[in-house]
Amino acid sequence: MAISISTVDLFCGAGGLTYGFEQAGLPVKAGYDIDPACKFPYEHNNKAKFLLQDVQNVSGLDLAEHFSGSSVKVLAGCAPCQPFSSYSRRYNDRQSKWKLLQDFARLIEECEPDIISMENVLQLKLHSVF
Ligand SMILES: C[S@@+](CC[C@H](N)C(=O)[O-])C[C@H]1O[C@@H](n2cnc3c(N)ncnc32)[C@H](O)[C@@H]1O
């Protein structure tokens, strides 16, 4: 039986990670980001569709559409690292600091991917998330 893989890239930016996935043989169906400037480079350099949407408003059902018919679901989420970076002191509010990572966790629970990919700064290891 042939294996069909689908990947969704949350916080996809201009598409660096998506490009790497595609080069590695993991087809990417869609990338989500709130920065409209990312749409052109994302779609010009990748086969995936760019969706201009706040991840906080994305649901597991939205993601299920991209994964439909795939035997392996890959969910990638490279949330902004500024809240945890040693270079930033702007995020003192605990709620806003964790919100986007909590949304990534919520979407993992809602769509139950087979593979999860997350990249962030080393400082994240110093915190307990939930
Ligand atoms: C670290 S960058 C991701 C880089 C990307 N993975 C790449 O390979 O180029 C984080 C991205 O999160 C996006 N972002 C921030 N808040 C967001 C939100 N609420 N919903 C969707 N995207 C968001 C930013 O616009 C930024 O492009």
Side-chain angles (χ1 to χ4, degrees), residues 38-76:
C38 293
K39 180 178 169 64
F40 176 75
Y42 187 86
E43 292 188 338
H44 185 74
N45 292 307
N46 299 296
K47 296 193 184 91
K49 185 174 175 53
F50 179 87
L51 295 166
L52 182 64
Q53 215 169 317
D54 188 332
V55 166
Q56 295 174 96
N57 301 326
V58 174
S59 72
L61 280 180
D62 296 326
L63 300 185
E65 279 186 37
H66 306 302
F67 291 133
S68 172
S70 303
S71 47
V72 179
K73 303 182 280 184
V74 183
L75 185 64

Side-chain angles (χ1 to χ4, degrees), residues 11-17 33-35 53-56 78 80 100:
F11 313 103
C12 64
L17 183 66
D33 203 284
I34 47 164
D35 184 350
Q53 215 169 317
D54 188 332
V55 166
Q56 295 174 96
C78 182
L100 293 175

